[in-house]
C-alpha cells in the first residue's frame, strides 16, 4: 500500500513540474493549479531530491529549464497526454451517450456541401458530442486539436493507421441549365473552351481529360481562379461560367447540367489511427460518416460511373437548392459577350 501511495505522490509532483515548465514560473503555476506557491515549491523540491538533479534554475523573471529539465519535460508531456486520453476514454465508456469533441479534417467542398448538411441528425442523437471540422483553409488558424479522423483523397498507407475507401468522386464539366439556355450549351469539350472557366487550383483533371483536349484546363480562359471548392460551386450556380466538379453536386443541385464524359474517379478514404476506433465518440462519428457516403443509396459515390440523369430515383424528391436568379431564360447570347442587363432581367429582379 505504501508503494502505491508513493507512486501517486510522484505523479502529483510530475504534474506540478509540468505546470511550472509550461507556465514559466512558480507563481504562475500556482495560479494555474489553484494552490499556494509554497505547495508548488515544495513539490518541485521533492521531485528534484528524488531524481538527485536540478530540473529548473530559478531567476527573477521566472524559471529556466536545465538540460535534465528539458529531458524530463518531454517525458512528462507524453504522460499528461496519455492521462488526458485515459480520462476521455473512461468518460466515454461510462456515459449514456458519447461525450466530448471529435476533430475531423476534410476539404472545404466536402465539409460545406456533404458533411455539414448531414450533421443535424448526428448532433441531435448525440447531444453531448461536439464536432471540430477542419477544412484546412487557414493553416495559421487551425481548429483547437489535431484531426482524429480524416477524409483523404488518394490516401497513402501509414503504419498504425486504418485507411478505408468510402467514396469515389467522378468529375465532369458542369454549368447550370439557366446558363446554357442563356449562352448555349456546348456540344463538345472543344466548344466548352469558348465559355468562361472557374478553375480550382488543386484540381488535376488535365491528365484524365479526353484525348481530343488533353490540356483543357491550360487552354480554357480562367475567368476565376481559386483554391476554394465552395467558391467554384457558388460561382457556377451564380451563372458565371462552367467548371470541373464532382457529379455528387448534381444530386444536391438538379439545375446543374454535365457536359461530355466524366473523368476517372478519385478515391476518398476514411483515415484514423487504429488505437482510437473503439472510443465511443470516435465510433459514432465513423458510423455516421459511413452512412453519409453509403454507396447503396447514393450511387454517385460508387466506383463505377452513374450518370447524373439517373440520380432522380435516389434523391427521393429532394427539393433543389437553386441560386438566386437561376430562373428559366429562353434568349441565347454569346458566352463571350455576357451582358449584365440580360443577367439581371433573367433573374426576375
Amino acid at each position: 500500500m505504501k508503494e502505491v501511495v508513493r507512486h501517486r505522490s510522484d505523479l502529483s509532483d510530475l504534474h506540478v513540474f509540468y505546470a511550472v515548465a509550461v507556465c514559466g514560473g512558480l507563481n504562475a503555476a500556482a495560479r494555474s493549479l489553484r494552490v499556494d506557491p509554497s505547495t508548488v515549491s515544495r513539490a518541485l523540491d521533492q521531485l528534484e531530491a528524488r531524481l538527485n538533479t536540478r530540473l529548473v534554475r530559478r531567476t527573477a523573471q521566472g524559471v529556466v529549464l536545465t538540460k535534465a529539465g528539458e529531458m524530463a519535460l518531454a517525458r512528462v508531456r507524453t504522460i499528461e497526454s496519455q492521462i488526458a486520453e485515459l480520462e476521455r476514454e473512461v468518460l466515454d465508456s461510462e456515459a449514456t451517450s458519447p461525450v466530448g469533441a471529435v476533430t475531423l479534417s476534410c476539404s472545404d467542398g466536402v465539409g460545406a456541401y456533404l458533411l455539414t448538411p448531414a450533421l443535424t441528425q448526428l448532433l441531435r442523437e448525440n447531444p453531448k458530442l461536439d464536432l471540430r471540422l477542419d477544412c484546412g483553409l487557414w493553416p495559421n488558424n487551425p481548429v483547437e486539436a489535431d484531426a482524429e479522423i480524416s477524409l483523404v483523397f488518394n490516401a497513402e498507407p501509414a503504419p498504425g493507421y486504418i485507411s478505408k475507401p468510402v467514396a469515389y468522386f467522378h468529375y465532369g464539366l458542369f454549368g447550370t441549365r439557366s446558363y446554357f439556355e442563356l449562352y448555349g450549351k456546348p456540344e463538345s469539350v472543344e466548344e466548352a473552351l469558348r465559355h468562361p472557366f472557374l478553375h480550382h487550383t488543386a484540381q488535376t483533371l488535365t491528365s484524365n481529360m479526353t484525348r481530343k483536349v488533353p490540356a483543357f484546363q491550360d487552354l480554357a480562359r480562367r475567368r476565376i481562379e481559386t483554391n476554394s471548392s465552395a467558391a467554384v460551386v457558388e460561382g457556377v450556380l451564380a451563372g458565371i461560367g462552367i467548371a470541373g466538379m464532382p457529379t455528387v453536386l448534381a444530386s444536391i443541385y438538379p439545375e446543374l447540367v454535365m457536359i461530355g464524359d466524366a473523368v476517372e474517379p478519385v478515391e476518398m478514404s476514411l483515415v484514423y489511427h487504429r488505437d482510437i476506433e473503439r472510443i465511443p465518440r470516435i465510433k459514432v462519428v465513423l458510423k455516421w460518416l459511413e452512412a453519409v457516403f453509403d454507396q447503396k443509396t447514393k450511387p454517385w459515390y460508387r466506383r463505377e460511373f452513374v450518370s447524373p440523369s439517373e440520380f432522380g430515383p435516389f434523391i427521393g424528391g429532394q427539393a433543389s437548392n437553386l441560386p438566386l436568379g437561376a430562373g428559366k431564360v429562353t434568349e441565347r447570347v454569346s458566352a463571350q459577350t455576357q451582358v449584365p442587363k440580360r443577367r439581371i432581367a433573367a433573374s426576375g429582379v
Side-chain angles (χ1 to χ4, degrees):
M1 185 66 179
K2 291 181 179 179
E3 188 69 15
V4 173
V5 173
R6 191 181 72 81
H7 282 300
R8 286 176 57 190
S9 176
D10 292 352
L11 186 60
S12 176
D13 292 348
L14 287 173
H15 184 62
V16 171
F17 164 69
Y18 178 73
V20 171
V22 171
C23 297
L26 274 65
N27 290 334
R31 289 194 295 271
S32 176
L33 297 172
R34 297 182 180 179
V35 297
D36 294 330
S38 60
T39 302
V40 173
S41 180
R42 185 167 53 254
L44 187 58
D45 289 341
Q46 290 172 355
L47 180 60
E48 289 180 329
R50 267 197 311 277
L51 297 177
N52 194 28
T53 187
R54 285 290 178 188
L55 300 177
V56 301
R57 287 190 293 105
R58 307 184 190 193
T59 69
Q61 290 74 33
V63 298
V64 177
L65 293 179
T66 63
K67 187 174 181 179
E70 292 176 353
M71 185 185 306
L73 177 60
R75 296 280 187 172
V76 174
R77 282 188 190 278
T78 302
I79 294 171
E80 290 284 334
S81 176
Q82 290 175 342
I83 291 174
E85 186 61 33
L86 172 63
E87 290 174 346
R88 285 196 296 268
E89 289 185 23
V90 172
L91 184 62
D92 281 349
S93 64
E94 294 297 327
T96 56
S97 63
V99 176
V102 175
T103 304
L104 170 63
S105 69
C106 60
S107 68
D108 72 305
V110 170
Y113 294 98
L114 307 181
L115 298 187
T116 303
L119 274 173
T120 304
Q121 183 175 358
L122 173 70
L123 298 180
R124 284 179 178 172
E125 293 177 354
N126 301 278
K128 298 180 182 180
L129 179 72
D130 300 318
L131 191 72
R132 295 169 178 155
L133 196 58
D134 186 352
C135 294
L137 288 176
W138 300 93
N140 294 328
N141 294 276
V143 294
E144 293 181 6
D146 293 334
E148 295 159 300
I149 303 173
S150 298
L151 289 169
V152 182
F153 289 102
N154 297 323
E156 297 289 338
Y161 283 83
I162 294 175
S163 181
K164 183 187 302 183
V166 290
Y168 297 87
F169 286 75
H170 299 265
Y171 282 78
L173 288 174
F174 281 91
T176 61
R177 186 172 292 106
S178 57
Y179 171 85
F180 291 138
E181 289 175 344
L182 185 60
Y183 301 114
K185 180 183 175 183
E187 299 300 326
S188 65
V189 178
E190 290 91 341
E191 288 186 14
L193 288 170
R194 304 191 186 103
H195 290 259
F197 184 66
L198 290 84
H199 177 63
H200 192 301
T201 57
Q203 285 182 359
T204 55
L205 303 184
T206 301
S207 60
N208 293 327
M209 280 289 177
T210 60
R211 293 181 179 179
K212 293 182 180 179
V213 191
F216 177 88
Q217 290 181 317
D218 294 329
L219 296 174
R221 180 188 175 190
R222 300 180 181 183
R223 196 70 186 274
I224 289 182
E225 190 165 31
T226 177
N227 60 2
S228 167
S229 298
V232 171
V233 174
E234 295 303 322
V236 171
L237 293 175
I240 293 175
I242 63 175
M245 301 191 298
T247 57
V248 58
L249 289 169
S251 71
I252 304 172
Y253 300 100
E255 171 74 354
L256 290 174
V257 176
M258 185 172 163
I259 309 165
D261 301 322
V263 301
E264 291 297 317
V266 179
E267 181 182 272
M268 187 179 73
S269 297
L270 193 57
V271 180
Y272 53 93
H273 200 279
R274 65 177 70 255
D275 290 346
I276 67 171
E277 64 178 331
R278 293 186 179 181
I279 300 175
R281 60 190 172 83
I282 300 294
K283 286 175 63 176
V284 73
V285 174
L286 290 175
K287 184 178 179 180
W288 169 71
L289 286 169
E290 290 176 356
V292 169
F293 297 105
D294 180 20
Q295 297 179 28
K296 293 182 180 179
T297 59
K298 301 168 184 177
W300 41 85
Y301 292 133
R302 297 174 186 171
R303 182 190 290 270
E304 66 276 10
F305 173 67
V306 178
S307 172
S309 62
E310 301 176 30
F311 288 178
F314 296 90
I315 297 175
Q318 176 180 332
S320 61
N321 184 12
L322 300 182
L324 180 65
K328 185 174 181 180
V329 181
T330 56
E331 186 175 2
R332 293 175 55 174
V333 298
S334 169
Q336 298 195 7
T337 57
Q338 298 183 19
V339 183
K341 289 184 179 180
R342 291 189 184 278
R343 291 176 63 192
I344 294 173
S347 70
V349 177

